[in-house]
Amino acid sequence: MKKTLALLTCLMLLLSLFSCRTNEQEGEATANLDASALSGNDALMQTYESAIKGDTPVFDEDLGVIKLTDYRFPSDNVRLGECDILYKVILDVDGDGVNEYVIQSPNKDHILLRCYQGRVYSYCFDAKSLFNLNTDGSFYWVDSYDLSNCTRGYSRIVLDGASLHIQELYRIKQTSTYDEGDGTHTYFVDGKQITRKAFRDYYDSDCRNQKMAIFSPIDISCAYPISSERACELASDHWGWESGATDGAAGHVYLLNIVVLEMPSGDTPSYRIGCRWEQYHTHVFDSVYAQPPSYVRVYEELIVDALTGEVREP
């Protein structure tokens, strides 16, 4: 009997030791996986930044293999490499766990960068074909800024391997600036014409609560101790405002962005930072960001020293 108890005790100790070792191995594997994922994300960002600097070629559906610095933005024909100021947002457009990198030019053209099977792909949009990008990859578009005679809509970016597709969610054909219920607007959802009331129900349930992506300045060179992103943060702290804040009054909504107006140079090693408000018209049941802003205006400016971070009035 005593021998049997002793054998059982030894067996239980062995099982306990095996369990502890297994847990340790699982913990080590998890730690290694987390470290690998972090390293992978860092490498991905470095790849995107290398492409923006022109060191890594990208493949464009229309232009083939190019240096991104040679790409010309359609709104003003300015080369990306000639732009003093660019903006970025990093987000997972298609929800696959891998981030994409979206560049915005001063005139609101966009380039989406995607890394697939070790290659960087670029997809370009002018300011009318994509604006007010949301964090889930949905966005608004318009074929004309004449809102009394245009078609505008709401679509989503769909990534399939190296290919990018646009899924149209809705579009509105307008023959007047506002729809007062007199039949001057025609509504389509998933390509099918529907009534104004049906569109209102669809919009309230599917579109109203999207979160807009907030862009921040790109600073890849790190030529100064204070980066452009840090300069915007210092200006934001000074004003007590944050990019993405909103305010409204009498049929209008205002969106605040803290932006870089001028980059530092050898002559003036300082950033000029602006507090920029974008005004949007509100509608009976339409998103306040479903149309381009009616105007964009810089209300306040600050100078941030690129060497020390000192903030002062211009």
Side-chain angles (χ1 to χ4, degrees):
M1 183 67 177
K2 290 181 178 179
K3 289 181 178 179
T4 303
L5 289 173
L7 286 170
L8 287 172
T9 301
C10 289
L11 182 60
M12 291 177 67
L13 286 171
L14 286 170
L15 289 172
S16 177
L17 288 170
F18 179 76
S19 176
C20 290
R21 180 58 183 160
T22 301
N23 289 339
E24 287 175 2
Q25 290 174 337
E26 289 177 352
E28 290 173 1
T30 301
N32 290 335
L33 180 62
D34 291 343
S36 175
L38 179 60
S39 175
N41 286 331
D42 288 344
L44 184 62
M45 291 304 107
Q46 290 172 7
T47 300
Y48 287 141
E49 290 171 357
S50 176
I52 295 168
K53 289 189 290 185
D55 296 335
T56 296
V58 304
F59 183 82
D60 184 275
E61 284 186 316
D62 297 324
L63 304 175
V65 179
I66 61 169
K67 282 188 174 182
L68 204 59
T69 48
D70 293 332
Y71 177 79
R72 292 185 178 274
F73 288 109
S75 292
D76 53 16
N77 201 37
V78 172
R79 286 197 313 113
L80 183 147
E82 297 173 342
C83 292
D84 293 329
I85 302 167
L86 292 169
Y87 294 89
K88 70 177 180 185
V89 66
I90 298 167
L91 69 166
D92 183 4
V93 170
D94 56 350
D96 65 351
V98 179
N99 284 333
E100 283 73 43
Y101 195 114
V102 184
I103 303 166
Q104 185 184 81
S105 77
N107 282 334
K108 300 294 185 74
D109 295 331
H110 294 81
I111 298 175
L112 184 148
L113 298 179
R114 170 174 172 76
C115 195
Y116 179 69
Q117 295 185 345
R119 194 176 194 181
V120 180
Y121 292 84
S122 65
Y123 313 91
C124 305
F125 305 84
D126 65 27
K128 288 192 297 185
S129 61
L130 185 154
F131 60 88
N132 294 340
L133 175 68
N134 292 316
T135 55
D136 68 344
S138 59
F139 62 92
Y140 298 96
W141 55 268
V142 66
D143 66 358
S144 170
Y145 291 133
D146 178 8
L147 297 181
S148 64
N149 183 22
C150 73
T151 298
R152 60 185 178 89
Y154 180 63
S155 298
R156 177 176 287 117
I157 295 169
V158 178
L159 296 171
D160 181 13
S163 299
L164 181 146
H165 308 286
I166 301 300
Q167 177 191 4
E168 181 185 293
L169 301 175
Y170 77 70
R171 59 186 159 93
I172 303 172
K173 173 62 179 174
Q174 295 186 191
T175 54
S176 66
T177 304
Y178 302 106
D179 185 359
E180 304 294 346
D182 55 2
T184 56
H185 285 28
T186 307
Y187 300 91
F188 300 84
V189 172
D190 294 331
K192 298 179 180 178
Q193 185 173 341
I194 61 174
T195 65
R196 182 176 185 269
K197 181 182 183 305
F199 178 80
R200 180 171 187 166
D201 293 340
Y202 160 80
Y203 192 91
D204 287 342
S205 62
D206 289 76
C207 306
R208 189 175 291 279
N209 297 319
Q210 294 299 332
K211 184 178 180 182
M212 193 164 76
I214 302 300
F215 286 78
S216 61
I218 292 177
D219 196 339
I220 298 171
S221 65
C222 299
Y224 296 91
I226 303 299
S227 69
S228 54
E229 289 184 79
R230 179 56 181 158
C232 285
E233 290 174 358
L234 291 169
S236 178
D237 292 342
H238 179 88
W239 282 316
W241 301 324
E242 292 185 5
S243 282
T246 57
D247 196 2
H252 298 89
V253 167
Y254 299 89
L255 173 70
L256 170 69
N257 279 306
I258 308 297
V259 297
V260 177
L261 302 176
E262 287 184 8
M263 296 287 284
S265 65
D267 296 328
T268 56
S270 299
Y271 297 94
R272 187 162 64 94
I273 308 297
C275 169
R276 186 179 72 195
W277 287 95
E278 300 176 3
Q279 182 190 54
Y280 295 85
H281 293 295
T282 57
H283 299 272
V284 177
F285 58 89
D286 213 356
S287 165
V288 294
Y289 305 120
Q291 297 186 20
S294 53
Y295 76 79
V296 177
R297 184 175 299 174
V298 175
Y299 278 93
E300 300 282 350
E301 293 184 20
L302 286 173
I303 302 298
V304 178
D305 193 295
L307 301 175
T308 65
E310 178 188 1
V311 179
R312 60 181 174 84
E313 299 292 332

